Amino acid sequence: QVQLVESGGGLVQPGGSLRLSCAASGFTFSHYWMYWVRQAPGKGLEWVSGINRDGDNTFYADSVKGRFTISRDNAKNTLFLHFNSLKFEDTAVYYCTRALEPYDSYDYWGQGTQVTVSS
């Protein structure tokens, strides 16, 4: 069955760095566009970043552009999100998700990993 398992979250100070991973299984990872979506406490879902099948096109929300980097390793069926210059407002649960085509609905989600930015 399809599984997306996020890891790497934790507590980090403002200005710090972190890397999230999403291990995919149960489907052909390289066939899917992949995305990161987050949910801050008391708020709705916010789209963060996306990457195409080959990993040579990436997309970011304005709120994270220049600070976050999405990447993927199709040989290892893993999606990454690298954070730099973290801000308090980046505190959220981060989810990875997938779509077969860039404008399709996201059909499977991971369980999420908590990132807390605090001094």
Side-chain angles (χ1 to χ4, degrees):
Q1 70 278 23
V2 174
Q3 284 194 312
L4 297 169
V5 180
E6 301 94 337
S7 61
L11 177 64
V12 62
Q13 292 186 337
S17 300
L18 202 63
R19 187 184 78 165
L20 304 184
S21 299
C22 172
S25 61
F27 66 100
T28 305
F29 181 69
S30 61
H31 287 186
Y32 285 79
W33 289 64
M34 297 298 298
Y35 302 90
W36 289 97
V37 177
R38 68 185 180 185
Q39 186 167 30
K43 296 190 176 181
L45 293 172
E46 178 189 14
W47 181 88
V48 173
S49 183
I51 189 167
N52 70 340
R53 297 182 183 91
D54 294 334
D56 55 0
N57 276 300
T58 57
F59 308 88
Y60 300 94
D62 288 344
S63 57
V64 308
K65 199 172 294 183
R67 300 188 299 118
F68 291 9
T69 302
I70 190 172
S71 62
R72 66 191 296 163
D73 185 339
N74 286 345
K76 296 183 178 180
N77 295 338
T78 305
L79 177 72
F80 302 100
L81 187 65
H82 298 252
F83 301 112
N84 288 312
S85 305
L86 279 162
K87 303 177 179 180
F88 292 117
E89 53 264 41
D90 294 319
T91 295
V93 177
Y94 285 75
Y95 300 93
C96 68
T97 185
R98 69 169 201 175
L100 192 57
E101 299 295 341
Y103 297 107
D104 284 349
S105 300
Y106 304 156
D107 59 355
Y108 282 90
W109 297 68
Q111 83 290 347
T113 186
Q114 176 72 48
V115 173
T116 302
V117 183
S118 176
S119 55

